[in-house]
């Protein structure tokens, strides 16, 4: 099935959704827990937002790159992978460096093998516990293998011929995502322990099926784009999911629970261990059915403010921890009573959130995006200079085979000598002057060059003259040698004899 390289449609409502889900994640990590509110249960279920981001990454990756031959050459693959990871790694390393610096100034031990493995992005593969200097960096590490494997997944999705096949792949990907957790629940007839949970959620290979699910949803859109009449299904799926997040009671953690004590109570306990993967079908329906817009939620999410802030959600997610660590220094009184302290109240949190958004906008516009555009242009230029793809090589080969027969000076010794003589005497010849019959005037110039060449060789080297005459006789008997043993086509009209053969 052919795929045209048309520019991908801009899905502005997904930018607005990214803004709200990013604020949800920041509120889960940083919002004060007192006083209680009706949104406390929703704050616990932040993994629904993480699941949305991993599905959205797969959806947008296939939406933007389905028509690009990423594996055409090493250069094209390098350019694709560089564009995907540069801005993420830049924000990750900036956040990790700032967090390590604030911990060092706070008296914590930072120069450890664990910190070094975090900077090399290897710690999450060995120990998935999210305790690097910049804790949210575990999500970026989990996305790297997904982006690396996508070019081969793209080839598989392009071989599908219908939306039904993509739907089957969606079901298979979701079963692979939730399967390990559900299988262990059935095997041990009990909820997962903390150690089991981190390997089914924080370990990088664990999120690959979720990313594949997002790509398969984009494949369904590619084969069978939804109409505006079904967009209400996306609204309905999202409303049901949000109501479940707010109304389903949060379980109490057991006495032997080994999870981090500073996390919100009930997080990753009992049925909360499956909440993120159970939300994946609802999020997939939302992504598919709202593709063409037309629903109420799509119009709300397409508000200009939400869409504009959607450009900075990556930095909001990765830089929330360094700014929070800075605010830790301001909570206690100090400066010999001159500073009364800044307790973590709701008003301080909202000030922190506004400052975080402003810092991320400044970071992106001044540093991250200019560098990202520079890297994109350099990688694209490098990819264009790395040889020709197989299609281009075949095209050039077909053009060479389609050319009419002409004498090739590089395949015959007589032609080389005559060509050298013509260059020394200032005579210029082209392929067209030997391939076309345009009258006697065009013949005279090569003939005069040949006579001058013959006289010079007769006077200088008689043996060379005899050898040339012998080669000329052989050439006249077997003219196919000039074209590299390629038969000469029969002329259809009047054609003059090549001066090399006379």
């Amino acid at each position: 099935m052919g795929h045209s390289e048309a520019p991908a449609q801009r899905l502005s409502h997904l930018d607005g959704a990214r803004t709200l889900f990013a604020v949800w994640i920041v509120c889960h990590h940083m919002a004060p827990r007192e006083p209680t509110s009706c949104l406390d249960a929703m704050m616990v279920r932040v993994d629904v937002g993480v699941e949305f981001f991993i599905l959205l990454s797969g959806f947008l990756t296939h939406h933007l790159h389905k028509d690009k031959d990423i594996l055409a050459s090493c250069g094209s693959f390098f350019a694709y992978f560089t564009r995907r990871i540069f801005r993420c790694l830049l924000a990750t390393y900036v956040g990790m460096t700032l967090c390590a610096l604030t911990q060092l100034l706070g008296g914590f031990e930072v120069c450890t093998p664990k910190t070094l493995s975090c900077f090399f992005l290897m710690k999450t593969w060995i120990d998935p516990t999210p305790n690097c200097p910049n804790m949210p960096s575990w999500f970026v590490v989990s996305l790297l293998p997904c982006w690396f494997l996508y070019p081969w997944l793209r080839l598989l999705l392009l071989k599908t011929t219908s939306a039904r096949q993509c739907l089957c792949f969606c079901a298979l990907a979701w079963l692979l995502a939730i399967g390990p957790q559900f299988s262990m629940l059935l095997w041990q007839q009990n909820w997962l322990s903390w150690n089991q949970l981190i390997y089914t959620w924080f370990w990088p290979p664990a999120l690959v099926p979720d990313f594949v699910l997002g790509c398969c949803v984009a494949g369904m859109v590619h084969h069978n784009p939804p109409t505006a009449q079904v967009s209400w299904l996306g609204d309905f799926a999202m409303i049901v999911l949000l109501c479940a997040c707010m109304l389903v009671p949060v379980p109490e953690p057991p006495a032997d629970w080994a999870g981090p004590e500073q996390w919100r109570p009930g997080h990753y306990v009992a049925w909360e261990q499956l909440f993120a993967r159970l939300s994946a079908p609802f999020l997939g329906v939302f992504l598919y059915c709202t593709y063409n817009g037309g629903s109420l939620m799509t119009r709300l999410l397409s508000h200009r403010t939400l869409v504009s802030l959607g450009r900075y959600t990556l930095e909001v997610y990765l830089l929330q921890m360094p700014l929070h660590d800075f605010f830790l220094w301001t909570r206690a009184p100090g400066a010999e009573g001159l500073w009364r302290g800044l307790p973590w109240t709701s008003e301080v949190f909202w000030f922190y959130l506004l400052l975080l958004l402003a810092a991320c906008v400044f970071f992106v516009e001044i540093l991250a995006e200019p560098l990202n555009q520079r890297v994109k242009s350099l990688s694209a230029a490098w990819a264009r200079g790395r040889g020709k793809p197989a299609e281009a090589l075949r095209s050039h080969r077909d053009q060479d085979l389609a050319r009419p027969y002409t004498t090739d000076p590089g395949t015959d010794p007589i032609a080389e000598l005559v060509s050298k003589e013509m260059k020394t005497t200032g005579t210029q010849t082209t392929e067209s002057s030997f391939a076309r019959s345009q009258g006697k005037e065009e013949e005279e110039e090569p003939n005069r060059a040949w006579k001058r060449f013959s006289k010079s060789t007769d006077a200088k080297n008689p043996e060379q003259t005899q050898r040339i005459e012998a080669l000329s006789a052989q050439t006249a008997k077997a003219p196919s040698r000039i074209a590299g043993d390629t038969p000469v086509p029969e002329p259809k009209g009047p054609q003059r004899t090549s001066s090399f053969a006379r």
Side-chain angles (χ1 to χ4, degrees), residues 234-410:
D235 290 355
F236 179 76
M238 183 59 71
I239 292 173
V240 169
L241 178 60
L242 294 179
C243 290
C245 290
M246 288 188 294
L247 300 179
V248 174
V250 178
E252 292 292 333
D256 58 347
W257 180 244
E261 296 180 357
Q262 67 271 22
W263 288 14
R264 291 180 180 268
H267 196 196
Y268 297 124
V269 175
W271 57 81
E272 296 298 326
Q273 299 169 353
L274 296 175
F275 214 97
R277 263 56 185 267
L278 290 176
S279 68
F282 295 91
L283 296 172
V285 171
F286 170 78
L287 291 174
Y288 176 79
C289 294
T290 61
Y291 176 79
N292 281 331
S295 66
L296 176 61
M297 188 169 291
T298 303
R299 291 193 293 270
L300 292 176
L301 294 176
S302 299
H303 191 273
R304 182 180 302 177
T305 303
L306 296 177
V307 174
S308 300
L309 293 176
R311 297 180 53 200
Y312 314 108
T313 52
L314 171 68
E315 286 73 20
V316 167
Y317 176 75
L318 291 173
L319 299 181
Q320 57 176 313
M321 195 65 67
L323 186 60
H324 176 262
D325 291 348
F326 173 77
F327 267 76
L328 287 176
W329 291 356
T330 65
R331 294 187 185 182
E336 299 180 355
L338 296 177
W339 175 251
R340 298 182 179 181
L342 193 65
W344 198 249
T345 60
S346 299
E347 294 78 9
V348 174
F349 166 72
W350 289 115
F351 172 71
Y352 156 84
L353 185 59
L354 292 176
L355 186 60
L356 175 63
L357 291 175
C360 291
V361 171
F362 180 82
F363 174 78
V364 171
E365 298 298 336
I366 301 300
L367 179 63
E369 191 56 27
L371 284 177
N372 188 42
Q373 294 300 326
R374 180 63 175 169
V375 169
K376 283 183 178 181
S377 60
L378 290 176
S379 61
W382 186 85
R384 287 194 299 268
R386 291 288 299 175
K388 298 177 181 178
E391 293 79 2
L393 291 175
R394 286 194 294 268
S395 175
H396 283 278
R397 183 194 62 189
D398 295 340
Q399 292 177 5
D400 292 338
L401 293 178
R403 288 178 179 175
Y405 164 72
T406 57
T407 54
D408 184 5

Side-chain angles (χ1 to χ4, degrees), residues 15-29:
D15 290 334
R18 284 196 300 182
T19 300
L20 295 181
F21 275 98
V23 172
W24 183 0
I25 294 175
V26 174
C27 290
H28 162 81
H29 288 148

Side-chain angles (χ1 to χ4, degrees), residues 409-460:
T411 59
D412 189 85
I414 301 176
E416 292 180 359
L417 293 173
V418 176
S419 177
K420 187 184 297 183
E421 173 67 16
M422 291 178 178
K423 290 180 180 178
T424 58
T425 58
T427 305
Q428 296 181 355
T429 59
T430 59
E431 289 182 353
S432 60
S433 65
F434 295 100
R436 296 194 304 264
S437 298
Q438 294 183 351
K440 188 175 180 180
E441 295 181 358
E442 292 185 359
E443 295 183 1
E444 290 179 354
E445 194 65 29
N447 290 337
R448 286 196 296 268
W450 171 260
K451 291 176 181 179
R452 286 194 299 269
F453 173 72
S454 300
K455 290 179 181 180
S456 63
T457 53
D458 290 342
K460 294 179 181 178

Side-chain angles (χ1 to χ4, degrees), residues 150-161 165 169 212:
Y150 167 73
W152 291 271
L153 175 63
R154 170 188 171 274
L155 297 179
L156 178 62
L157 290 177
L158 291 182
K159 291 181 179 179
T160 59
T161 58
Q165 292 182 357
F169 279 123
V212 174

Side-chain angles (χ1 to χ4, degrees), residues 15-200:
D15 290 334
R18 284 196 300 182
T19 300
L20 295 181
F21 275 98
V23 172
W24 183 0
I25 294 175
V26 174
C27 290
H28 162 81
H29 288 148
M30 308 302 176
R33 302 178 186 179
E34 297 294 338
T36 60
S37 67
C38 60
L39 297 178
D40 288 346
M42 192 172 183
M43 293 298 102
V44 173
R45 293 172 176 121
V46 68
D47 292 313
V48 174
V50 178
E51 182 72 15
F52 172 78
F53 276 110
I54 190 69
L55 290 177
L56 183 63
S57 178
F59 182 86
L60 292 180
T61 299
H62 190 63
H63 174 69
L64 297 174
H65 296 89
K66 63 179 181 297
D67 296 320
K68 300 177 182 178
D69 193 1
I70 302 173
L71 297 177
S73 65
C74 294
S76 61
F77 177 80
F78 173 80
Y80 149 78
F81 196 63
T82 302
R83 288 193 296 266
R84 295 302 298 171
I85 70 173
F86 176 77
R87 187 171 161 183
C88 291
L89 292 184
L90 178 64
T92 299
Y93 279 114
V94 168
M96 206 177 299
T97 302
L98 292 176
C99 286
L101 182 61
T102 54
Q103 292 178 12
L104 181 64
L105 295 177
F108 295 94
E109 187 178 3
V110 176
C111 300
T112 61
K114 184 195 79 171
T115 305
L116 185 63
S117 63
C118 289
F119 272 88
F120 281 101
L121 307 180
M122 295 300 300
K123 191 263 177 188
T124 309
W125 291 85
I126 302 170
D127 178 16
T129 305
N131 57 359
C132 280
N134 189 23
M135 186 269 293
S137 62
W138 74 269
F139 183 71
V140 175
V141 179
S142 298
L143 281 177
L144 294 181
C146 300
W147 291 334
F148 183 84
L149 295 174
Y150 167 73
W152 291 271
L153 175 63
R154 170 188 171 274
L155 297 179
L156 178 62
L157 290 177
L158 291 182
K159 291 181 179 179
T160 59
T161 58
S162 64
R164 180 174 299 179
Q165 292 182 357
C166 289
L167 181 60
C168 294
F169 279 123
C170 288
L172 179 62
W174 182 69
L175 290 176
L176 290 176
I178 200 173
Q181 293 174 309
F182 197 69
S183 299
M184 284 190 288
L185 290 176
L186 295 178
W187 177 263
Q188 64 190 19
Q189 297 183 354
N190 196 2
W191 298 110
L192 302 181
S193 64
W194 169 248
N195 189 59
Q196 292 173 331
L197 176 69
I198 61 176
Y199 278 96
T200 58

